[in-house]
Amino acid sequence: MQQKPRIDWLDIAKGMSIILVVIYHTLLYHDFHNIAPDLYARLSSIMTPIRMPLFFTVSGFLAASAMRAPWGDFLRRKIWLLVYLFAIWSTARWLFFRYIQTNVLVPTEGSDPYQLLEMWWAPNTGIWFIWALAIFMIATKLLSSVHRPTAMALAASLSILTFGEHLPIDLFTHRNVLQYFVFFLFGCWYGKSVVDAITERPLLTACAGLLIFTALYGLRWRLQAIEKGSWALASSIAGLAWLCGTAALMSRLQPVRHAFSYFGRNTLPVYVTHVMIVSLVVAMVATIVGSSAASGYITAPLVVVFAIGLSLAIRAIADRSGAAWLYTPPTRRQRQAVPA
């Protein structure tokens, strides 16, 4: 069966989102060591309503075809992959932060073997995205026969209530599931028509999104004129239009398209390994530069580039050295090919 051609700007949008995530974590570790430049921190804060909504919206669109598969194939091909990756990389992080370096942002990570069991219902690590994605995919398939506007309205209401801190949920991963499900659901159910519209009018989409996002930012943080939860959802939608339209425009420039779409096709290795790399490298940088925030203007971008590059290099080495199982479950054929 012939595969549908990839949409370049969706890969670019995913690439932009993973870069924003790496920047966010890099600045968090810089901030802990008192070397985070205030300008970078402010810019990263502005992108908070966009980072994960962009990731989940694109993921929802790309997962739409999987929702049409029979339950057996769906669970075997899609959910099992996510469960496998979550188990592998949550364990890898636990071992890293137990035996190599303390996670200064979550000092308890790696402290108790019980965490390897608890992570299945209450993860407290940066691998939560994979866990949430499995939940979103199962929930979306279960809702396939439900009236879609009603389901979207309910998901949006939960997002607003959670963003607005009206629901008393302590663990950030549980909050994130309620906050971001609406974006995955929207991407899965309505992504096709939206993608077509953005592809036809990328400049209009980008400009309108940026203007609305800027206006909402000013209304919320300068005038306190909008309720927090409603603001968060509205600004996320505007931000998505801004960055998706920008991604569509970027796809028209060949060098830019190739670079960013490559990141978009390889978000997994960056996502699962970059926090370990960033935490270690920033700690080393801090011992060298001390508490100099000015040095962060140079070190933060370098750490981002290094973390992304090393994450991709680790994946390439794993593929060449027989450790591809770190990123893909071994198939039955592969297992039978291994000599006794």
Side-chain angles (χ1 to χ4, degrees), residues 24-322:
Y24 171 69
H25 288 139
T26 297
L27 291 175
L28 283 181
Y29 283 98
H30 270 71
D31 183 62
F32 178 86
H33 294 287
N34 299 313
I35 54 175
D38 184 64
L39 175 61
Y40 287 176
R42 288 177 180 272
L43 292 174
S44 180
S45 177
I46 290 172
M47 303 306 291
T48 297
I50 310 176
R51 273 189 300 265
M52 297 315 297
L54 179 61
F55 219 126
F56 280 121
T57 302
V58 176
S59 296
F61 174 80
L62 296 176
S65 61
M67 299 301 158
R68 297 188 288 271
W71 269 101
D73 290 343
F74 172 75
L75 293 174
R76 184 170 57 253
R77 296 180 181 180
K78 295 298 181 181
I79 303 305
W80 165 238
L81 171 63
L82 296 173
V83 169
Y84 176 87
L85 291 172
F86 182 71
I88 288 289
W89 287 102
S90 291
T91 302
R93 274 184 60 123
W94 188 89
L95 293 170
F96 179 87
F97 287 120
R98 181 177 180 87
Y99 295 109
I100 298 178
Q101 184 190 24
T102 298
N103 185 353
V104 295
L105 298 183
V106 187
T108 58
E109 186 173 3
S111 63
D112 185 353
Y114 177 70
Q115 293 170 342
L116 295 174
L117 178 63
E118 186 182 39
M119 69 185 187
W120 292 102
W121 63 85
N124 193 27
T125 77
I127 307 297
W128 70 271
F129 170 82
I130 298 174
W131 173 81
L133 192 57
I135 293 174
F136 290 171
M137 292 185 72
I138 292 173
T140 301
K141 190 162 179 63
L142 288 171
L143 292 170
S144 60
S145 60
V146 174
H147 184 242
R148 290 187 174 185
T150 301
M152 284 296 304
L154 178 59
S157 298
L158 287 173
S159 180
I160 290 172
L161 290 172
T162 312
F163 272 128
E165 301 177 358
H166 300 296
L167 298 178
I169 302 173
D170 294 328
L171 189 61
F172 80 96
T173 49
H174 292 167
R175 290 197 304 272
N176 287 348
V177 167
L178 297 182
Q179 287 173 170
Y180 297 129
F181 179 50
V182 65
F183 299 102
F184 180 90
L185 197 62
F186 178 80
C188 187
W189 283 353
Y190 302 102
K192 176 65 168 62
S193 58
V194 172
V195 165
D196 290 343
I198 294 174
T199 302
E200 291 177 4
R201 299 177 178 85
L203 182 59
L204 176 62
T205 303
C207 291
L210 176 58
L211 288 174
I212 296 172
F213 181 83
T214 303
L216 287 168
Y217 183 83
L219 287 173
R220 174 63 190 169
W221 298 114
R222 300 303 178 189
L223 303 178
Q224 298 293 309
I226 301 178
E227 188 273 331
K228 184 177 180 180
S230 300
W231 174 86
L233 183 60
S235 59
S236 293
I237 295 170
L240 285 172
W242 168 28
L243 287 199
C244 286
T246 301
L249 290 171
M250 291 168 63
S251 69
R252 299 179 177 183
L253 303 174
Q254 185 172 348
V256 176
R257 181 176 70 246
H258 288 167
F260 278 85
S261 61
Y262 174 79
F263 292 136
R265 292 191 299 270
N266 293 276
T267 55
L268 175 64
V270 177
Y271 181 77
V272 297
T273 55
H274 79 272
V275 169
M276 293 180 281
I277 297 169
V278 167
S279 65
L280 185 61
V281 173
V282 174
M284 295 170 60
V285 168
T287 61
I288 297 172
V289 303
S291 299
S292 172
S295 64
Y297 283 103
I298 298 174
T299 61
L302 291 177
V303 170
V304 169
V305 172
F306 180 77
I308 293 174
L310 183 56
S311 295
L312 296 173
I314 291 172
R315 171 64 190 267
I317 293 170
D319 287 344
R320 289 175 173 81
S321 61

